[in-house]
Amino acid sequence: KRTGQCKKKMCPRGKATAKSLTLVLPAPEVDLPEVPVRAVRRMDGHGGSGLTLMYSDHIGIERLIPFAEKYYSCDDEDEARDTAKHMTKEAYEQHVTSPVSPDIMKLKPSEACFNTNKYPDAVRALLSNGIITDTGKRVQIGLYPEKFPICRIHAPQTDSREDTQRQNNEREQMMANMGFTTFKMGG
């Protein structure tokens, strides 16, 4: 029975305890601290699972202030604190997963391909925190010479195919309003 109580944790099965979807990644640059993030499962371009890492305040908003100061050029501490609060709605890493065409490999609904070439630290941290588990399957994507792991994501899906389509339509409309033209490829 689902009660809606598991917002920042993975809802466990049976008698298992819930695991947190928040974690800390290594510092992205020498002059910044470790970055607190939360894992969010979203749909990819093929309607399968994907994973986004969002900034998180789970260890205090103060940890995000250096990121606000550096990335948003805040003028003072109050502006940096206010910006840090809003950063929790933003992605730290938009796509640590890569879409896999169903023509290449059919994935289960909770599985995704993790790009260990671009995001090795994030994938290691997700694995060690139990947010994802390696299925043992591998797939080659794009022009990368190596095969990437297919992992099971232990987080609830946060959007639907309709949400994704609506967001794409809104983005296309915004671009059209700016004078850009969208070309539909392959269909």
Side-chain angles (χ1 to χ4, degrees):
K1 176 181 171 186
R2 293 188 181 233
T3 62
Q5 299 294 320
C6 298
K7 291 194 189 239
K8 286 194 173 185
K9 297 188 178 221
M10 294 178 270
C11 292
R13 293 182 183 194
K15 295 182 180 188
T17 57
K19 293 182 181 178
S20 176
L21 295 175
T22 56
L23 62 150
V24 178
L25 296 179
E29 297 178 36
V30 174
D31 60 337
L32 289 172
E34 293 177 322
V35 59
V37 296
R38 67 186 160 85
V40 178
R41 183 173 149 204
R42 295 192 170 152
M43 293 190 87
D44 68 16
H46 294 288
S49 289
L51 194 93
T52 298
L53 295 177
M54 307 290 288
Y55 284 102
S56 173
D57 61 356
H58 72 278
I59 55 175
I61 202 70
E62 293 77 23
R63 183 61 74 92
L64 295 177
I65 291 174
F67 295 93
E69 291 171 337
K70 180 162 184 133
Y71 297 143
Y72 293 90
S73 303
C74 298
D75 292 327
D76 57 48
E77 191 172 326
D78 289 337
E79 182 183 5
R81 180 174 294 281
D82 192 46
T83 300
K85 289 176 187 174
H86 293 288
M87 287 173 64
T88 60
K89 297 179 181 105
E90 296 181 16
Y92 171 70
E93 292 292 359
Q94 188 67 38
H95 303 285
V96 293
T97 54
S98 295
V100 176
S101 170
D103 298 336
I104 306 287
M105 179 184 276
K106 180 93 170 125
L107 301 179
K108 293 180 181 176
S110 63
E111 294 177 344
C113 174
F114 282 79
N115 192 325
T116 52
N117 184 288
K118 288 174 75 174
Y119 309 106
D121 291 338
V123 174
R124 273 193 296 276
L126 289 163
L127 285 164
S128 68
N129 281 277
I131 295 171
I132 63 174
T133 53
D134 194 332
T135 65
K137 295 188 268 185
R138 300 288 182 266
V139 68
Q140 186 173 0
I141 55 171
L143 300 175
Y144 291 102
E146 69 267 26
K147 291 185 175 187
F148 293 126
I150 302 298
C151 298
R152 186 164 292 107
I153 303 172
H154 304 288
Q157 187 76 35
T158 59
D159 59 0
S160 66
R161 190 177 286 276
E162 293 79 24
D163 293 335
T164 303
Q165 186 60 50
R166 181 184 45 74
Q167 290 170 354
N168 288 342
N169 291 343
E170 289 172 359
R171 186 172 24 261
E172 285 180 18
Q173 185 60 49
M174 179 186 72
M175 298 302 281
N177 291 341
M178 295 169 50
F180 294 94
T181 303
T182 301
F183 293 98
K184 301 287 185 189
M185 304 294 281

